[in-house]
Amino acid sequence: MADRIEGVKKLFTSKSARVETNKGDAYYEKLFEKCQARIEELKTQQPINNRLDITDVLEMQGIERRDFLKWASAVTGMLMLPASFTPLVADAALLMNRAPVIWLELSDCAGNSEALLRSDGPQIDEIVLDIISLEFHETLQAASGHQAEKQLEDAMETFKDKYLLFVEGAVPLGMNGQFGTIGASGETMHDHLLRVAKHAAAVVAVGSCATFGGVPAAAPNPTGAVGVMDVIQGKPLINIPACPANPANMVGVILHYILTGQVPELDSLLRPKFAFGYRIHDNCERRAHFDAGEYVEEWGDEGAKNNFCLYKVGCKGPMTFNNCSIVRYNEGVNWPVGVGRGCIGCSEPDFWDKYAYERPMADAKIKAPTGGVEKTVDEFGLGLLTAAGIGIGIHAVASAVAGKKEDGGEA
Amino acid sequence: MKPKYKQVKRMTAFMRLNHWVVAFSMVGAVITGLYIGHPYYQTLIAEPAVMKYVMAWNRWVHFMIAIIFDVSSIVIAYLYFFSRFEKPYKKIIPTAGNIKEFFEVIINLVMLNRRKKFDSTHSDSFNTVFFLLFHLMLAWMLLTGLQLYVHGLESGLSSIGSWWPWMLHLVTDWTLPVSSWMIGSTATGTNIMDVRIVHHMTMWFILSWVAFHIYYQVWRTIFWKEGDIGIVVSGTKFVKEKEA
C-alpha cells in the first residue's frame, strides 16, 4: 500500500517544484561523510592546469579569510545545507580548479559571459568563477579559428567524461541549423553542441536562451531556436535561467558538483531548487506595499518615489521563480525591483512572449483562442459578453413582438 | 378560457440555499478577482498604509470564497448522482429521449416558445447540459485557482501541514500542461502564466453563461408565464394544466 501511495505521489507530483528544505539528520550525516570523502580525494589530485590558487587571489584582492568564510556560510545556506557544512563548502571552493569546464557560446548576446567579465569590484563569486579550470571559452580565450578548434579537441580528449559543459545561448534548428555556424569548418551550433556534450559529465545551460530558448526563441522564432534541454538527451542537465544567469547560482551548481559529485536537486524545468524553488514575490522588499494595495501607477510618480509595489507597472514577481530577491545581482548590490522597475520573469520559459509585456496580467496582449489575433483577455471577454448580450437582446425583442401577436390573436 | 396552473416543486431548500451561495460567491470572486488581476481601487483610499492592506483583503476574500465554492461544488457533485430529489446525471446520458428533449427545448427557444413539445415540470435535458457546462467551467476555475494558490506554497509547507500543498499538487498539477496547451505553448511547454490566463479567461466565459442563464429564466417567467424565477426563491413553479 505504501508503495502504491508513493507511486501515485510520484506520478502526479513529478512535474511540481516542491522544496523539501529539511531531510532529517540521518540524511545529512550520510551526505556529510560522502562530501568529506570526495573532498579528501580531490585534495590528493593536482590542480588541472596549475593555474591560480584561490587563497592567493583572495589575498591579492584584499579579501580576508574571515570574509571568505562568511561567503562560504552564505553559500551553504543558499544550497540549503545545514551550517555544519560550511567548512566543507569552503574547502570545495578552494578545490574549484580541479573541475574542468568547457564553455560553449551559441545563439545569444554573450550576456552571461559579459555579466561575469564586466562585474566591477570582483567579489568572491566572480573570483571563484575565474578560478575554475576553464579549458575552453570562445569569447574569453585568445585562440581563434583552427587554433581554438584544436584547443577544444585537446580539452575534450584530456578530460573525457569528466568536464562540466556550460552552454550559453539557444540552439537554432531552422534550415538544418544553418542559422548559426561556428568555427573555421562552419559546423552548425547544433552539431557543435552535440559533439562537445557527448563526453561531458554534465551539461549546465546558463541563461534564458540556453535554458528555454529565450529571446531567440520568441515568437515568431524565425531561426527555430530551442533550449539545450530540447536537444541534449541522456545526460545530467541543469538549467540556470535568468537574463543574465546569476553568478551565485553558477557557483552554487559547481560547488554542489565538487562537494557531492552530483547535480543538485532539480525542479520540473531542471532548475536547481536551491535557487528556483521559490518565487521572488515571496521575498520581495516591496511585498508589504503589494499587500497594502499601494502601487506605482506610472513611472516617476509619488508611489515610485516611495518604493511602492511595481505590480501595476507589470512586475511579474508573483509568477517568477528565482532567488534574485535574496541573492540579488552584482554581489548583492541591487536587482531590478530594487532599482524601481518590475520583474519581467526572465527565468521563466517563454518569458519574452508571456512575461515581458510590462503591464499587469489583466492588460496582457496575448493570443485569443479565436486565432492569431492579438487581443487582451479582457477585451476578448468583454467581446464575448457583448455578443451574448446582443444575442439575448435580439431574442428578447423577437419574443416580445411574437408575444404581442399571440396576445392579440387570443383577444 | 384562461389556462389553469398547478404548482410543482422544483428545488429543495438545500438546493436553493446552494444556488444563492454560488451566486453570491461568484459576484464576490469576480470583483475580488478583477482587482487581483488589475488593482484599480486603491487610489480611492491611498492613505499611508495604516489599517489598509487592500490587496491582502481582496486575496483573503477571494480565497475564502474559493474554499466555500469548492465545498459547495463537492456537495453538488455528490447530489448529481445521489440526490433523493432528482438525479441530474440521468438527464445528461445521451439516450434517445434526452436527445429529443434537448433539441425540442432549443427549437422552442429559437421559435420563441411556439412549439413547446416537452415537459416543463422537471429540469429538462437542455437545462441539465447547460448546467453541466457551468459545473465543468467552475471545476476548471477551482482547480486552476488552487494551482495558482499552491505556487505560493513552494516550500512544501503550510500553516495546516505539508499534506495540503502536497494534495494541491496531486490534484491540480495537470492543469499546467493543459493550460499551456490551450494557450498554445511554445518551445518549452508548461508555463505558470498560462494557468493565470485561462483562469482569467474562464471568468468571462462564466459571466457569459450567467448572462444567458438569467435571461433564460426571466424569459421563461415572462413568456411561459409559469413563474420559473420562483424556483430559486420558493422552490416551486407553476405549470399550465392541459386545457380541459
Side-chain angles (χ1 to χ4, degrees), chain A residues 9 16-17 19 277 290-291 293-294 297 311-312 319 321 349-350 354-355 363 377-378 381 392 395-396 399, chain B residues 36 38-39 42 49 52-56 109 114 154-155 166 169 173 186 191-192 194 196 200 204 215 219 223:
Chain A
K9 181 177 162 184
S16 69
V19 182
F290 171 85
D291 287 338
E294 295 176 320
E297 300 286 333
Y311 183 65
K312 279 192 81 174
M319 305 108 192
F321 290 82
D350 307 332
K354 289 179 178 170
Y355 291 74
D363 286 352
V377 174
D378 290 304
I392 287 168
H395 190 264
S399 300
Chain B
I36 292 166
H38 191 168
Q42 85 289 342
K52 198 156 99 179
Y53 288 90
V54 188
M55 177 62 97
L109 181 67
R114 282 179 185 153
E154 280 306 312
S155 60
W166 180 84
H169 278 298
D173 275 2
T186 47
N191 197 317
I192 290 160
D194 299 338
R196 268 164 214 282
H200 193 82
W204 288 107
Y215 169 71
W219 183 75
F223 289 99

Side-chain angles (χ1 to χ4, degrees), chain A residues 109-123 126 129-130 137 139-140 244 247 329-331:
Chain A
C109 68
N112 299 286
S113 300
E114 192 80 356
L116 283 177
L117 275 176
R118 300 282 168 137
S119 50
D120 56 345
Q123 294 290 340
E126 282 106 35
L129 285 169
D130 283 345
H137 191 307
T139 319
L140 300 186
Y329 276 83
N330 297 335
E331 195 65 23

Side-chain angles (χ1 to χ4, degrees), chain B residues 22-23 26 69 128-140 205-207 209-210:
Chain B
V22 166
M26 200 179 312
F69 232 149
T128 319
V129 169
F130 184 60
F131 268 83
L132 178 71
L133 210 66
F134 173 67
H135 289 135
L136 290 177
M137 286 197 289
L138 211 55
W140 177 245
F205 284 105
I206 288 178
L207 285 181
W209 185 95
V210 167

Side-chain angles (χ1 to χ4, degrees), chain A residues 1 90 113 124 192 202 261 266 273 285 296-297 301 319 348:
Chain A
M1 189 65 193
S113 300
I124 301 174
H192 190 58
L266 306 176
K273 285 187 181 179
E285 62 223 30
V296 174
E297 300 286 333
D301 67 2
M319 305 108 192
E348 294 297 327

Side-chain angles (χ1 to χ4, degrees), chain B residues 42-158:
Chain B
Q42 85 289 342
T43 40
L44 306 174
I45 37 177
E47 294 296 312
V50 180
M51 302 291 285
K52 198 156 99 179
Y53 288 90
V54 188
M55 177 62 97
W57 280 112
N58 269 279
R59 298 180 79 224
W60 186 85
V61 171
H62 196 77
F63 297 156
M64 277 301 180
I65 285 173
I67 295 297
I68 294 168
F69 232 149
D70 282 346
V71 172
S72 95
S73 300
I74 291 167
V75 174
I76 289 301
Y78 169 80
L79 291 179
Y80 232 73
F81 298 96
F82 303 108
S83 171
R84 286 189 298 147
F85 180 68
E86 58 183 23
K87 299 176 175 49
Y89 83 93
K90 286 185 176 168
K91 279 281 164 189
I92 40 175
I93 300 171
T95 60
N98 281 343
I99 292 171
K100 185 169 177 292
E101 191 179 56
F102 179 85
F103 285 108
E104 277 298 337
V105 177
I106 291 185
I107 291 166
N108 180 58
L109 181 67
V110 175
M111 291 180 70
L112 309 172
N113 198 30
R114 282 179 185 153
R115 175 196 151 105
K116 218 172 87 183
K117 288 188 176 168
F118 62 95
D119 184 3
S120 66
T121 58
H122 65 281
S123 185
D124 57 68
S125 250
F126 173 78
N127 208 40
T128 319
V129 169
F130 184 60
F131 268 83
L132 178 71
L133 210 66
F134 173 67
H135 289 135
L136 290 177
M137 286 197 289
L138 211 55
W140 177 245
M141 256 345 228
L142 299 173
L143 291 168
T144 50
L146 287 171
Q147 170 63 222
L148 291 175
Y149 177 69
V150 81
H151 288 164
L153 301 175
E154 280 306 312
S155 60
L157 307 169
S158 80

Side-chain angles (χ1 to χ4, degrees), chain A residues 69-89:
Chain A
L69 285 176
K70 272 199 257 177
W71 172 85
S73 74
V75 173
T76 310
M78 186 181 88
L79 290 173
M80 295 180 177
L81 294 169
S84 56
F85 277 66
T86 306
L88 284 185
V89 170

